[in-house]
Amino acid sequence: GENVEQHPSTLSVQEGDSAVIKCTYSDSASNYFPWYKQELGKRPQLIIDIRSNVGEKKDQRIAVTLNKTAKHFSLHITETQPEDSAVYFCAGQRAGSYQLTFGKGTKLSVIP
Amino acid sequence: DTGVSQDPRHKITKRGQNVTFRCDPISEHNRLYWYRQTLGQGPEFLTYFQNEAQLEKSRLLSDRFSAERPKGSFSTLEIQRTEQGDSAMYLCAIPRGEGRYEQYFGPGTRLTVT
């Protein structure tokens, strides 16, 4: 089955700096890759996603890139703000399945 | 608000007891998913329904777990003979958005087995 690895597990950045979180996946048949943000005690919230037919997608300060050949995808947050502090999870979904396989998460701390 | 409610929000039970959780989408969705999230980990897929039919089941879903979606609307997840390792957040998710790939989580039911 699919295996998704995520790193780093923790990341601290100064407010205004950029943050990058990287994930790799094992199943070349995977074609959908969402990113979730989870604040303490709350549900994971979908913040951006990408499908395998595109290489990059951007939404305001967040962007996701996908390299199908290398089987890795990344989340980029620019101009970080304290409210970006949370745990971020990447996930992969195999074509033909609706099962999401999640990474172990990255705890992002934005220092004011 | 992602358009799905879960009940109860918290459940404390003693080892060996049975528990049942409910997931209620506000509007009709043909697909419904269950995940489990333990502390410090990402959500883990449990099962998925297409209308009333349970189409995918994870190996995590042991014979003590059963899920139903009798009318293709709400869903229940039952755990029999609970164990301390069952302590987790149980999340229900529904599809939304243009492509229907997206999965949006409900608030979850936090289970504590003592």
Side-chain angles (χ1 to χ4, degrees):
Chain A
E2 173 70 286
N3 182 46
V4 175
E5 296 193 355
Q6 181 173 351
H7 57 94
S9 56
T10 60
L11 179 61
S12 291
V13 298
Q14 292 289 328
E15 182 177 358
D17 287 351
S18 295
V20 181
I21 302 170
K22 298 181 179 181
C23 289
T24 59
Y25 61 98
S26 62
D27 192 340
S28 57
S30 291
N31 65 352
Y32 174 65
F33 306 94
W35 286 87
Y36 287 81
K37 174 184 180 182
Q38 187 172 31
E39 296 173 346
L40 193 63
K42 296 189 176 180
R43 74 189 82 184
Q45 289 189 303
L46 179 66
I47 56 172
I48 196 167
D49 57 10
I50 191 167
R51 296 177 206 170
S52 59
N53 57 346
V54 298
E56 184 174 358
K57 184 177 178 180
K58 189 173 182 180
D59 183 5
Q60 299 183 341
R61 295 187 298 109
I62 60 173
V64 57
T65 59
L66 171 65
N67 183 326
K68 286 169 53 179
T69 303
K71 291 192 283 188
H72 68 69
F73 56 111
S74 301
L75 177 71
H76 304 252
I77 306 174
T78 58
E79 301 172 18
T80 52
Q81 300 167 3
E83 50 265 39
D84 294 329
S85 296
V87 179
Y88 291 80
F89 293 98
C90 63
Q93 184 181 76
R94 193 176 193 278
S97 168
Y98 289 101
Q99 174 180 340
L100 289 175
T101 301
F102 284 81
K104 292 187 182 297
T106 297
K107 183 177 181 180
L108 173 65
S109 300
V110 180
I111 304 163
Chain B
D1 180 15
T2 54
V4 57
S5 63
Q6 291 189 245
D7 183 70
R9 297 292 306 277
H10 303 274
K11 178 71 176 178
I12 300 174
T13 192
K14 292 185 177 180
R15 188 166 49 121
Q17 298 295 304
N18 299 344
V19 294
T20 300
F21 312 138
R22 180 176 169 121
C23 170
D24 266 292
I26 292 173
S27 55
E28 287 188 6
H29 296 278
N30 58 353
R31 296 193 298 277
L32 185 148
Y33 317 88
W34 284 99
Y35 288 80
R36 179 179 75 179
Q37 186 177 25
T38 53
L39 205 60
Q41 301 294 316
E44 297 171 294
F45 174 81
L46 293 178
T47 191
Y48 141 68
F49 287 88
Q50 177 88 23
N51 299 314
E52 302 91 353
Q54 189 174 14
L55 296 186
E56 285 188 66
K57 288 174 63 173
S58 163
R59 286 171 295 177
L60 292 173
L61 217 65
S62 74
D63 55 3
R64 297 185 299 107
F65 288 70
S66 63
E68 293 183 342
R69 197 180 184 204
K71 298 181 180 180
S73 56
F74 72 92
S75 177
T76 59
L77 178 68
E78 181 184 15
I79 309 174
Q80 295 182 329
R81 305 182 304 280
T82 52
E83 302 172 354
Q84 287 189 318
D86 297 331
S87 295
M89 176 74 83
Y90 289 83
L91 294 159
C92 172
I94 56 171
R96 280 173 65 182
E98 295 181 0
R100 313 303 279 182
Y101 283 82
E102 299 89 344
Q103 295 184 23
Y104 290 82
F105 289 100
T109 294
R110 179 162 295 285
L111 173 66
T112 302
V113 182
T114 62

CSV table of all heavy atoms in Angstrom, one decimal, chain A residues 1 31-32 36 38 41-46 49 51 57 89 93 96-105, chain B residues 1-2 4 31 33 35 37 40-45 48 50 56 91 99-107:
chain,number,residue,atom,x,y,z
A,1,GLY,N,0.8,-1.2,0.0
A,1,GLY,CA,0.0,0.0,0.0
A,1,GLY,C,0.8,1.2,0.0
A,1,GLY,O,2.1,1.2,0.1
A,31,ASN,N,-2.4,9.8,-7.2
A,31,ASN,CA,-2.7,10.9,-8.1
A,31,ASN,C,-3.3,12.1,-7.5
A,31,ASN,O,-3.7,13.1,-8.1
A,31,ASN,CB,-3.5,10.5,-9.3
A,31,ASN,CG,-4.9,10.0,-8.9
A,31,ASN,OD1,-5.2,9.9,-7.7
A,31,ASN,ND2,-5.8,9.8,-9.9
A,32,TYR,N,-3.5,12.1,-6.1
A,32,TYR,CA,-4.1,13.2,-5.4
A,32,TYR,C,-3.4,13.4,-4.1
A,32,TYR,O,-3.2,12.5,-3.4
A,32,TYR,CB,-5.6,12.9,-5.2
A,32,TYR,CG,-6.3,14.0,-4.4
A,32,TYR,CD1,-6.5,15.3,-4.9
A,32,TYR,CD2,-6.9,13.7,-3.1
A,32,TYR,CE1,-7.1,16.3,-4.1
A,32,TYR,CE2,-7.5,14.6,-2.4
A,32,TYR,CZ,-7.6,15.9,-2.9
A,32,TYR,OH,-8.3,16.9,-2.1
A,36,TYR,N,-3.4,19.2,5.0
A,36,TYR,CA,-4.3,19.6,6.1
A,36,TYR,C,-3.5,20.4,7.1
A,36,TYR,O,-2.4,20.1,7.4
A,36,TYR,CB,-4.9,18.4,6.7
A,36,TYR,CG,-6.0,17.7,5.8
A,36,TYR,CD1,-5.6,16.8,4.8
A,36,TYR,CD2,-7.3,18.0,6.0
A,36,TYR,CE1,-6.5,16.2,4.0
A,36,TYR,CE2,-8.3,17.4,5.2
A,36,TYR,CZ,-7.9,16.5,4.2
A,36,TYR,OH,-8.8,15.9,3.4
A,38,GLN,N,-3.9,21.4,11.2
A,38,GLN,CA,-4.7,21.0,12.4
A,38,GLN,C,-4.2,21.8,13.6
A,38,GLN,O,-3.0,21.7,14.0
A,38,GLN,CB,-4.5,19.5,12.7
A,38,GLN,CG,-5.4,19.1,13.9
A,38,GLN,CD,-5.5,17.6,14.0
A,38,GLN,OE1,-4.5,16.9,13.7
A,38,GLN,NE2,-6.6,17.0,14.4
A,41,GLY,N,-6.5,20.6,19.3
A,41,GLY,CA,-7.8,20.3,19.8
A,41,GLY,C,-8.9,20.4,18.7
A,41,GLY,O,-10.1,20.3,19.0
A,42,LYS,N,-8.5,20.7,17.5
A,42,LYS,CA,-9.5,20.9,16.4
A,42,LYS,C,-9.3,19.8,15.3
A,42,LYS,O,-8.4,19.1,15.3
A,42,LYS,CB,-9.3,22.3,15.8
A,42,LYS,CG,-9.6,23.4,16.8
A,42,LYS,CD,-9.7,24.8,16.1
A,42,LYS,CE,-10.0,25.9,17.1
A,42,LYS,NZ,-10.1,27.2,16.5
A,43,ARG,N,-10.2,19.8,14.4
A,43,ARG,CA,-10.2,18.9,13.3
A,43,ARG,C,-9.2,19.3,12.3
A,43,ARG,O,-8.8,20.4,12.1
A,43,ARG,CB,-11.6,18.9,12.6
A,43,ARG,CG,-11.9,20.1,11.7
A,43,ARG,CD,-13.3,20.1,11.2
A,43,ARG,NE,-14.2,20.7,12.3
A,43,ARG,CZ,-15.5,20.8,12.1
A,43,ARG,NH1,-16.1,20.4,11.0
A,43,ARG,NH2,-16.2,21.3,13.0
A,44,PRO,N,-8.7,18.3,11.5
A,44,PRO,CA,-7.8,18.7,10.4
A,44,PRO,C,-8.6,19.4,9.3
A,44,PRO,O,-9.7,19.0,9.0
A,44,PRO,CB,-7.3,17.3,9.8
A,44,PRO,CG,-7.6,16.3,10.9
A,44,PRO,CD,-8.8,16.8,11.7
A,45,GLN,N,-8.0,20.5,8.8
A,45,GLN,CA,-8.7,21.3,7.8
A,45,GLN,C,-7.9,21.3,6.5
A,45,GLN,O,-6.7,21.6,6.5
A,45,GLN,CB,-8.9,22.8,8.3
A,45,GLN,CG,-9.9,22.9,9.5
A,45,GLN,CD,-10.2,24.4,9.8
A,45,GLN,OE1,-9.2,25.1,10.1
A,45,GLN,NE2,-11.4,24.8,9.7
A,46,LEU,N,-8.6,21.0,5.4
A,46,LEU,CA,-8.0,21.0,4.1
A,46,LEU,C,-7.6,22.4,3.7
A,46,LEU,O,-8.4,23.3,3.8
A,46,LEU,CB,-9.0,20.4,3.1
A,46,LEU,CG,-8.5,20.4,1.7
A,46,LEU,CD1,-7.4,19.4,1.5
A,46,LEU,CD2,-9.7,19.9,0.7
A,49,ASP,N,-4.7,21.4,-2.2
A,49,ASP,CA,-4.4,20.1,-2.7
A,49,ASP,C,-3.9,20.2,-4.1
A,49,ASP,O,-4.0,21.3,-4.8
A,49,ASP,CB,-5.7,19.2,-2.6
A,49,ASP,CG,-6.9,19.9,-3.4
A,49,ASP,OD1,-6.7,20.9,-4.1
A,49,ASP,OD2,-8.0,19.3,-3.2
A,51,ARG,N,-3.4,17.7,-7.9
A,51,ARG,CA,-3.6,16.4,-8.6
A,51,ARG,C,-2.4,16.2,-9.5
A,51,ARG,O,-1.7,17.1,-9.8
A,51,ARG,CB,-4.9,16.4,-9.4
A,51,ARG,CG,-6.1,16.5,-8.4
A,51,ARG,CD,-7.4,16.6,-9.2
A,51,ARG,NE,-8.4,17.2,-8.4
A,51,ARG,CZ,-9.6,17.6,-8.8
A,51,ARG,NH1,-9.9,17.4,-10.1
A,51,ARG,NH2,-10.4,18.2,-8.0
A,57,LYS,N,0.4,24.5,-7.6
A,57,LYS,CA,-0.8,25.2,-7.3
A,57,LYS,C,-0.6,26.2,-6.2
A,57,LYS,O,0.1,25.9,-5.3
A,57,LYS,CB,-1.9,24.2,-6.9
A,57,LYS,CG,-3.3,24.7,-6.7
A,57,LYS,CD,-4.3,23.6,-6.4
A,57,LYS,CE,-5.7,24.1,-6.2
A,57,LYS,NZ,-6.6,23.0,-5.9
A,89,PHE,N,-0.3,18.2,7.9
A,89,PHE,CA,-0.3,16.9,7.4
A,89,PHE,C,-0.4,16.8,5.9
A,89,PHE,O,-1.2,17.5,5.3
A,89,PHE,CB,-1.4,16.0,8.0
A,89,PHE,CG,-1.3,15.8,9.5
A,89,PHE,CD1,-2.1,16.6,10.3
A,89,PHE,CD2,-0.5,14.8,10.0
A,89,PHE,CE1,-2.0,16.4,11.7
A,89,PHE,CE2,-0.5,14.6,11.4
A,89,PHE,CZ,-1.2,15.4,12.2
A,93,GLN,N,-3.3,9.8,-2.2
A,93,GLN,CA,-4.5,9.0,-2.5
A,93,GLN,C,-4.2,8.2,-3.8
A,93,GLN,O,-3.9,8.9,-4.8
A,93,GLN,CB,-5.7,9.8,-2.6
A,93,GLN,CG,-7.0,9.0,-2.9
A,93,GLN,CD,-8.2,9.9,-3.0
A,93,GLN,OE1,-8.4,10.5,-4.1
A,93,GLN,NE2,-9.0,10.0,-2.0
A,96,GLY,N,-8.2,5.3,-8.1
A,96,GLY,CA,-9.2,4.3,-7.9
A,96,GLY,C,-9.6,4.0,-6.5
A,96,GLY,O,-10.5,3.2,-6.2
A,97,SER,N,-8.9,4.6,-5.5
A,97,SER,CA,-9.2,4.5,-4.1
A,97,SER,C,-9.6,5.8,-3.5
A,97,SER,O,-9.1,6.8,-4.0
A,97,SER,CB,-8.0,3.9,-3.4
A,97,SER,OG,-8.2,4.0,-2.0
A,98,TYR,N,-10.4,5.8,-2.5
A,98,TYR,CA,-10.7,7.1,-1.8
A,98,TYR,C,-10.0,7.2,-0.5
A,98,TYR,O,-10.2,8.1,0.3
A,98,TYR,CB,-12.2,7.2,-1.6
A,98,TYR,CG,-13.0,7.5,-2.9
A,98,TYR,CD1,-13.6,6.4,-3.5
A,98,TYR,CD2,-13.0,8.7,-3.4
A,98,TYR,CE1,-14.3,6.7,-4.7
A,98,TYR,CE2,-13.6,9.0,-4.6
A,98,TYR,CZ,-14.3,8.0,-5.3
A,98,TYR,OH,-15.0,8.2,-6.5
A,99,GLN,N,-9.1,6.2,-0.2
A,99,GLN,CA,-8.4,6.2,1.0
A,99,GLN,C,-7.3,7.2,1.0
A,99,GLN,O,-6.4,7.1,0.1
A,99,GLN,CB,-7.8,4.8,1.3
A,99,GLN,CG,-6.9,4.6,2.4
A,99,GLN,CD,-6.4,3.2,2.6
A,99,GLN,OE1,-7.0,2.3,2.1
A,99,GLN,NE2,-5.3,3.0,3.3
A,100,LEU,N,-7.2,8.0,2.0
A,100,LEU,CA,-6.1,8.9,2.1
A,100,LEU,C,-5.1,8.3,3.1
A,100,LEU,O,-5.4,7.8,4.1
A,100,LEU,CB,-6.5,10.3,2.7
A,100,LEU,CG,-7.3,11.2,1.7
A,100,LEU,CD1,-7.7,12.5,2.5
A,100,LEU,CD2,-6.5,11.6,0.5
A,101,THR,N,-3.8,8.3,2.7
A,101,THR,CA,-2.7,7.9,3.6
A,101,THR,C,-1.9,9.2,4.0
A,101,THR,O,-1.4,9.9,3.1
A,101,THR,CB,-1.8,6.9,2.9
A,101,THR,OG1,-2.5,5.8,2.4
A,101,THR,CG2,-0.6,6.5,3.8
A,102,PHE,N,-1.9,9.4,5.3
A,102,PHE,CA,-1.3,10.6,5.8
A,102,PHE,C,0.1,10.4,6.3
A,102,PHE,O,0.6,9.3,6.7
A,102,PHE,CB,-2.1,11.1,7.0
A,102,PHE,CG,-3.4,11.7,6.7
A,102,PHE,CD1,-4.5,10.9,6.4
A,102,PHE,CD2,-3.5,13.1,6.7
A,102,PHE,CE1,-5.7,11.5,6.1
A,102,PHE,CE2,-4.8,13.7,6.3
A,102,PHE,CZ,-5.9,12.9,6.0
A,103,GLY,N,0.9,11.5,6.2
A,103,GLY,CA,2.2,11.6,6.8
A,103,GLY,C,2.0,11.8,8.3
A,103,GLY,O,0.9,11.9,8.8
A,104,LYS,N,3.2,11.8,9.0
A,104,LYS,CA,3.1,11.9,10.5
A,104,LYS,C,3.0,13.3,11.0
A,104,LYS,O,2.9,13.5,12.2
A,104,LYS,CB,4.4,11.2,11.1
A,104,LYS,CG,4.4,9.7,10.9
A,104,LYS,CD,5.5,9.1,11.6
A,104,LYS,CE,5.6,7.6,11.4
A,104,LYS,NZ,4.4,6.9,11.9
A,105,GLY,N,3.0,14.3,10.1
A,105,GLY,CA,2.8,15.6,10.5
A,105,GLY,C,4.1,16.4,10.8
A,105,GLY,O,5.1,15.9,11.1
B,1,ASP,N,-17.4,25.3,9.7
B,1,ASP,CA,-18.4,24.3,9.6
B,1,ASP,C,-18.2,23.5,8.3
B,1,ASP,O,-18.3,24.1,7.2
B,1,ASP,CB,-19.8,24.9,9.7
B,1,ASP,CG,-20.9,23.8,9.6
B,1,ASP,OD1,-20.5,22.6,9.8
B,1,ASP,OD2,-22.0,24.2,9.4
B,2,THR,N,-18.0,22.2,8.3
B,2,THR,CA,-17.7,21.4,7.1
B,2,THR,C,-19.0,20.7,6.7
B,2,THR,O,-19.0,19.9,5.8
B,2,THR,CB,-16.6,20.5,7.3
B,2,THR,OG1,-16.8,19.6,8.5
B,2,THR,CG2,-15.3,21.2,7.5
B,4,VAL,N,-20.8,18.5,8.5
B,4,VAL,CA,-21.0,17.2,9.1
B,4,VAL,C,-20.9,17.3,10.7
B,4,VAL,O,-20.0,18.0,11.1
B,4,VAL,CB,-20.0,16.2,8.6
B,4,VAL,CG1,-18.6,16.6,8.8
B,4,VAL,CG2,-20.2,14.8,9.2
B,31,ARG,N,-20.7,9.7,-0.7
B,31,ARG,CA,-19.5,9.0,0.0
B,31,ARG,C,-19.4,9.5,1.4
B,31,ARG,O,-19.7,10.7,1.7
B,31,ARG,CB,-18.3,9.3,-0.8
B,31,ARG,CG,-18.3,8.6,-2.2
B,31,ARG,CD,-16.9,8.6,-2.8
B,31,ARG,NE,-16.3,9.9,-3.0
B,31,ARG,CZ,-16.6,10.7,-4.0
B,31,ARG,NH1,-17.4,10.3,-5.0
B,31,ARG,NH2,-16.0,11.9,-4.1
B,33,TYR,N,-16.6,8.8,4.9
B,33,TYR,CA,-15.3,8.1,5.3
B,33,TYR,C,-15.2,8.2,6.8
B,33,TYR,O,-15.6,9.1,7.5
B,33,TYR,CB,-14.1,8.8,4.7
B,33,TYR,CG,-14.2,9.2,3.3
B,33,TYR,CD1,-14.8,10.5,2.9
B,33,TYR,CD2,-13.8,8.4,2.2
B,33,TYR,CE1,-14.9,10.8,1.6
B,33,TYR,CE2,-13.9,8.8,0.9
B,33,TYR,CZ,-14.5,10.0,0.6
B,33,TYR,OH,-14.6,10.4,-0.7
B,35,TYR,N,-12.1,7.8,9.8
B,35,TYR,CA,-10.6,7.8,10.1
B,35,TYR,C,-10.5,7.8,11.6
B,35,TYR,O,-11.4,8.2,12.4
B,35,TYR,CB,-9.9,9.0,9.6
B,35,TYR,CG,-9.8,9.1,8.1
B,35,TYR,CD1,-10.8,9.5,7.2
B,35,TYR,CD2,-8.6,8.7,7.4
B,35,TYR,CE1,-10.7,9.5,5.9
B,35,TYR,CE2,-8.4,8.8,6.1
B,35,TYR,CZ,-9.5,9.2,5.3
B,35,TYR,OH,-9.3,9.2,3.9
B,37,GLN,N,-7.5,9.0,14.6
B,37,GLN,CA,-6.3,9.7,14.8
B,37,GLN,C,-5.9,9.6,16.3
B,37,GLN,O,-6.6,10.0,17.2
B,37,GLN,CB,-6.5,11.2,14.5
B,37,GLN,CG,-5.2,12.0,14.5
B,37,GLN,CD,-5.4,13.5,14.1
B,37,GLN,OE1,-6.4,14.0,14.2
B,37,GLN,NE2,-4.3,14.1,13.7
B,40,GLY,N,-0.6,12.7,18.3
B,40,GLY,CA,0.7,12.9,17.7
B,40,GLY,C,0.9,12.2,16.3
B,40,GLY,O,2.0,12.2,15.8
B,41,GLN,N,-0.2,11.6,15.8
B,41,GLN,CA,-0.1,11.0,14.5
B,41,GLN,C,-1.1,11.6,13.5
B,41,GLN,O,-2.0,12.3,13.9
B,41,GLN,CB,-0.5,9.5,14.7
B,41,GLN,CG,0.4,8.7,15.6
B,41,GLN,CD,1.9,8.6,15.1
B,41,GLN,OE1,2.1,8.4,13.9
B,41,GLN,NE2,2.8,8.9,16.0
B,42,GLY,N,-0.9,11.3,12.3
B,42,GLY,CA,-1.9,11.7,11.3
B,42,GLY,C,-3.1,10.8,11.3
B,42,GLY,O,-3.1,9.7,11.8
B,43,PRO,N,-4.2,11.2,10.7
B,43,PRO,CA,-5.4,10.3,10.6
B,43,PRO,C,-5.1,9.0,9.9
B,43,PRO,O,-4.3,9.0,8.9
B,43,PRO,CB,-6.4,11.2,9.9
B,43,PRO,CG,-6.0,12.6,10.1
B,43,PRO,CD,-4.5,12.5,10.1
B,44,GLU,N,-5.7,7.9,10.3
B,44,GLU,CA,-5.6,6.7,9.6
B,44,GLU,C,-6.9,6.2,9.1
B,44,GLU,O,-7.9,6.2,9.8
B,44,GLU,CB,-5.1,5.6,10.6
B,44,GLU,CG,-3.7,5.9,11.2
B,44,GLU,CD,-3.4,4.9,12.3
B,44,GLU,OE1,-4.0,5.0,13.3
B,44,GLU,OE2,-2.4,4.1,12.1
B,45,PHE,N,-6.9,5.8,7.8
B,45,PHE,CA,-8.2,5.4,7.2
B,45,PHE,C,-8.7,4.2,7.9
B,45,PHE,O,-8.0,3.2,8.1
B,45,PHE,CB,-7.9,5.2,5.7
B,45,PHE,CG,-9.1,4.6,5.0
B,45,PHE,CD1,-10.1,5.4,4.5
B,45,PHE,CD2,-9.1,3.2,4.7
B,45,PHE,CE1,-11.1,4.9,3.8
B,45,PHE,CE2,-10.2,2.7,4.0
B,45,PHE,CZ,-11.2,3.5,3.5
B,48,TYR,N,-14.8,3.3,4.2
B,48,TYR,CA,-15.5,4.2,3.3
B,48,TYR,C,-16.8,3.6,2.8
B,48,TYR,O,-16.9,2.4,2.5
B,48,TYR,CB,-14.5,4.6,2.2
B,48,TYR,CG,-15.1,4.7,0.8
B,48,TYR,CD1,-15.9,5.8,0.5
B,48,TYR,CD2,-14.7,3.8,-0.2
B,48,TYR,CE1,-16.4,5.9,-0.8
B,48,TYR,CE2,-15.2,4.0,-1.5
B,48,TYR,CZ,-16.1,5.0,-1.8
B,48,TYR,OH,-16.6,5.2,-3.0
B,50,GLN,N,-20.0,4.1,0.0
B,50,GLN,CA,-20.6,4.7,-1.2
B,50,GLN,C,-22.1,4.4,-1.0
B,50,GLN,O,-22.5,3.3,-1.2
B,50,GLN,CB,-20.1,4.1,-2.5
B,50,GLN,CG,-20.7,4.6,-3.7
B,50,GLN,CD,-20.1,5.8,-4.3
B,50,GLN,OE1,-18.9,6.1,-4.0
B,50,GLN,NE2,-20.8,6.6,-5.1
B,56,GLU,N,-14.5,0.0,1.1
B,56,GLU,CA,-13.2,-0.2,1.5
B,56,GLU,C,-13.1,-0.3,3.0
B,56,GLU,O,-13.7,0.4,3.7
B,56,GLU,CB,-12.3,1.0,1.0
B,56,GLU,CG,-12.0,1.1,-0.5
B,56,GLU,CD,-11.0,2.2,-0.8
B,56,GLU,OE1,-9.8,2.1,-0.4
B,56,GLU,OE2,-11.4,3.1,-1.5
B,91,LEU,N,-12.8,10.3,13.4
B,91,LEU,CA,-13.2,11.4,12.5
B,91,LEU,C,-14.0,10.8,11.4
B,91,LEU,O,-13.6,9.8,10.7
B,91,LEU,CB,-11.9,12.1,12.0
B,91,LEU,CG,-11.1,12.8,13.0
B,91,LEU,CD1,-9.6,13.0,12.4
B,91,LEU,CD2,-11.7,14.2,13.3
B,99,GLY,N,-14.3,18.8,-7.6
B,99,GLY,CA,-13.8,17.5,-8.1
B,99,GLY,C,-14.3,16.3,-7.3
B,99,GLY,O,-14.1,15.2,-7.7
B,100,ARG,N,-14.8,16.6,-6.1
B,100,ARG,CA,-15.3,15.5,-5.2
B,100,ARG,C,-14.1,14.7,-4.7
B,100,ARG,O,-14.4,13.6,-4.1
B,100,ARG,CB,-16.3,14.6,-5.9
B,100,ARG,CG,-17.4,15.4,-6.6
B,100,ARG,CD,-18.1,16.3,-5.8
B,100,ARG,NE,-19.2,15.7,-5.0
B,100,ARG,CZ,-20.0,16.3,-4.2
B,100,ARG,NH1,-19.9,17.6,-4.0
B,100,ARG,NH2,-20.9,15.7,-3.5
B,101,TYR,N,-12.9,15.0,-5.0
B,101,TYR,CA,-11.7,14.3,-4.3
B,101,TYR,C,-11.6,14.7,-2.9
B,101,TYR,O,-11.2,14.0,-2.0
B,101,TYR,CB,-10.4,14.7,-5.1
B,101,TYR,CG,-10.2,14.0,-6.4
B,101,TYR,CD1,-10.8,14.5,-7.5
B,101,TYR,CD2,-9.4,12.9,-6.5
B,101,TYR,CE1,-10.6,13.9,-8.7
B,101,TYR,CE2,-9.2,12.3,-7.7
B,101,TYR,CZ,-9.8,12.8,-8.8
B,101,TYR,OH,-9.5,12.2,-10.0
B,102,GLU,N,-11.9,16.0,-2.6
B,102,GLU,CA,-11.6,16.6,-1.3
B,102,GLU,C,-12.4,15.9,-0.2
B,102,GLU,O,-13.6,15.5,-0.4
B,102,GLU,CB,-12.0,18.1,-1.3
B,102,GLU,CG,-11.3,18.9,-2.3
B,102,GLU,CD,-11.9,19.0,-3.7
B,102,GLU,OE1,-12.8,18.2,-3.9
B,102,GLU,OE2,-11.6,19.9,-4.4
B,103,GLN,N,-11.8,15.7,0.9
B,103,GLN,CA,-12.4,15.1,2.1
B,103,GLN,C,-12.4,16.1,3.2
B,103,GLN,O,-11.3,16.6,3.6
B,103,GLN,CB,-11.7,13.8,2.5
B,103,GLN,CG,-11.8,12.7,1.4
B,103,GLN,CD,-11.2,11.4,1.9
B,103,GLN,OE1,-11.1,11.1,3.1
B,103,GLN,NE2,-10.9,10.6,0.9
B,104,TYR,N,-13.5,16.4,3.8
B,104,TYR,CA,-13.7,17.4,4.8
B,104,TYR,C,-14.1,16.7,6.1
B,104,TYR,O,-15.1,16.0,6.1
B,104,TYR,CB,-14.7,18.5,4.4
B,104,TYR,CG,-14.1,19.4,3.3
B,104,TYR,CD1,-14.2,19.0,2.0
B,104,TYR,CD2,-13.5,20.6,3.6
B,104,TYR,CE1,-13.7,19.8,1.0
B,104,TYR,CE2,-13.0,21.4,2.6
B,104,TYR,CZ,-13.1,21.0,1.3
B,104,TYR,OH,-12.6,21.8,0.3
B,105,PHE,N,-13.3,16.9,7.2
B,105,PHE,CA,-13.6,16.2,8.4
B,105,PHE,C,-14.6,16.9,9.3
B,105,PHE,O,-14.7,18.1,9.3
B,105,PHE,CB,-12.2,16.1,9.2
B,105,PHE,CG,-11.3,15.2,8.6
B,105,PHE,CD1,-10.2,15.6,7.8
B,105,PHE,CD2,-11.4,13.8,8.8
B,105,PHE,CE1,-9.3,14.7,7.2
B,105,PHE,CE2,-10.5,12.9,8.2
B,105,PHE,CZ,-9.4,13.4,7.5
B,106,GLY,N,-15.3,16.1,10.0
B,106,GLY,CA,-16.2,16.5,11.0
B,106,GLY,C,-15.4,16.8,12.3
B,106,GLY,O,-14.2,16.6,12.3
B,107,PRO,N,-16.1,17.3,13.4
B,107,PRO,CA,-15.4,17.6,14.6
B,107,PRO,C,-14.8,16.5,15.3
B,107,PRO,O,-13.9,16.7,16.2
B,107,PRO,CB,-16.4,18.3,15.4
B,107,PRO,CG,-17.7,17.8,14.9
B,107,PRO,CD,-17.5,17.5,13.5
